[in-house]
Amino acid sequence: GRSPAMQEVYRVIERTGNNRATVLVTGESGTGKEMVARAIHYNSAFAAAPFIAVNCGAIPDQLLESELFGHVKGAFTGANTSRVGFFQAADGGTLFLDEIGNATAAVQAKLLRAIQDKEITMLGATKPQRVNVRLISAANNDLAAMIKHGSFREDLYYRLNLINIHMPPLRDRAEDIPLLVDHFNKRFSSEQGRRPLRIPARVMNTLMAHPWPGNVRELENLVHRLVILNDEA
């Protein structure tokens, strides 16, 4: 995108890359928050280190703590072997936590310690271990409102939100839609072994006037569908 809002996003990404500052990416669903996290990681001095993405909303509450921090053998029923968590897997690199607002109180407490002390404790372990991980989080819900309701820790929020990057909704940067359509058109047409679609001006004007409640993801899916279903050779 070339819109002023996206240029500001690029500026912050560039300045954030080569340090370990925590980053909180906010914005509606489908705006590309994980793409921002990947851009920060892969344009940094740590690009060769692991990038681990975790959707906190997709992991059951009772499993999230174990998945993030690992567990030792016998920590709970069914823990027949020790297993490292995502923090250990991302050591030296970047851990991206999407939908951070879904983290339980127990996970929030351990995340706070991991950020403050650079240490994590595996489930069932007695000793902490050092980790060197850059933490990037994302939220499409209102964390400030969650703090007021007591469902999200205020001290954790300020630790996560050292650098804030807000992804604008697509409806607020309609001038970027032709660029995105062209990108997706070329990408998906290449995958299908076809020439890119010809997009008439009237169609592009319609796309630019659409509110896109699903944001970039919705636009991507539409272009993908058009490429698959078109009759052009």
Side-chain angles (χ1 to χ4, degrees), residues 4-43:
M6 288 306 298
Q7 292 302 313
E8 175 63 16
V9 169
Y10 302 149
R11 185 186 70 83
V12 178
I13 288 174
E14 183 179 5
R15 294 191 176 188
T16 303
N18 291 325
N19 61 68
R20 293 286 186 179
T22 57
V23 179
L24 179 64
V25 189
T26 55
E28 298 176 6
S29 179
T31 49
K33 296 186 289 295
E34 182 172 341
M35 293 299 294
V36 169
R38 291 182 180 275
I40 292 172
H41 176 77
Y42 289 111
N43 288 281

Side-chain angles (χ1 to χ4, degrees), residues 18 32 49-50 67 73 78 117 148 152-153 186 202 206 231 233:
N18 291 325
E67 291 293 301
K73 182 179 179 180
D117 302 333
K148 290 182 179 179
F152 199 85
R153 295 180 63 125
K186 290 178 179 176
R202 60 183 178 81
T206 299
D231 293 326

Side-chain angles (χ1 to χ4, degrees), residues 154-170:
E154 186 173 18
D155 50 1
L156 176 60
Y157 172 76
Y158 288 118
R159 288 288 185 176
L160 295 174
N161 198 31
L162 181 60
I163 304 292
N164 180 264
I165 299 178
H166 181 72
M167 290 299 291
L170 189 55

Side-chain angles (χ1 to χ4, degrees), residues 13-211:
I13 288 174
E14 183 179 5
R15 294 191 176 188
T16 303
N18 291 325
N19 61 68
R20 293 286 186 179
T22 57
V23 179
L24 179 64
V25 189
T26 55
E28 298 176 6
S29 179
T31 49
K33 296 186 289 295
E34 182 172 341
M35 293 299 294
V36 169
R38 291 182 180 275
I40 292 172
H41 176 77
Y42 289 111
N43 288 281
S44 74
F46 321 110
F51 176 91
I52 306 292
V54 182
N55 187 333
C56 297
I59 301 174
D61 291 347
Q62 64 272 23
L63 292 180
L64 183 58
E65 185 175 356
S66 172
E67 291 293 301
L68 287 176
F69 304 105
H71 63 261
V72 299
K73 182 179 179 180
F76 50 85
T77 302
N80 299 320
T81 60
S82 296
R83 180 182 174 186
V84 300
F86 291 124
F87 265 91
Q88 295 99 316
D91 197 19
T94 301
L95 180 61
F96 173 61
L97 300 180
D98 199 5
E99 297 189 26
I100 189 66
N102 288 281
T104 63
V107 169
Q108 290 180 38
K110 295 189 79 167
L111 283 174
L112 183 63
R113 179 169 183 182
I115 297 170
Q116 291 180 159
D117 302 333
K118 300 188 184 304
E119 291 182 343
I120 61 100
T121 302
M122 298 174 72
L123 220 59
T126 56
K127 293 182 179 180
Q129 55 186 283
R130 301 282 294 178
V131 289
N132 183 23
V133 172
R134 180 221 281 278
L135 196 62
I136 303 179
S137 306
N140 54 26
N141 43 14
D142 189 345
L143 295 183
M146 294 180 66
I147 291 170
K148 290 182 179 179
H149 295 144
S151 56
F152 199 85
R153 295 180 63 125
E154 186 173 18
D155 50 1
L156 176 60
Y157 172 76
Y158 288 118
R159 288 288 185 176
L160 295 174
N161 198 31
L162 181 60
I163 304 292
N164 180 264
I165 299 178
H166 181 72
M167 290 299 291
L170 189 55
R171 62 183 174 274
D172 289 349
R173 56 183 187 105
E175 63 266 47
D176 290 336
I177 289 176
L179 294 172
L180 290 163
V181 170
D182 182 63
H183 169 71
F184 294 135
N185 186 11
K186 290 178 179 176
R187 172 181 153 197
F188 294 128
S189 295
S190 176
E191 290 177 2
Q192 297 288 320
R194 297 180 171 185
R195 295 192 301 269
L197 291 174
R198 291 168 292 180
I199 309 291
R202 60 183 178 81
V203 174
M204 189 64 73
N205 290 336
T206 299
L207 295 178
M208 292 178 68
H210 185 67

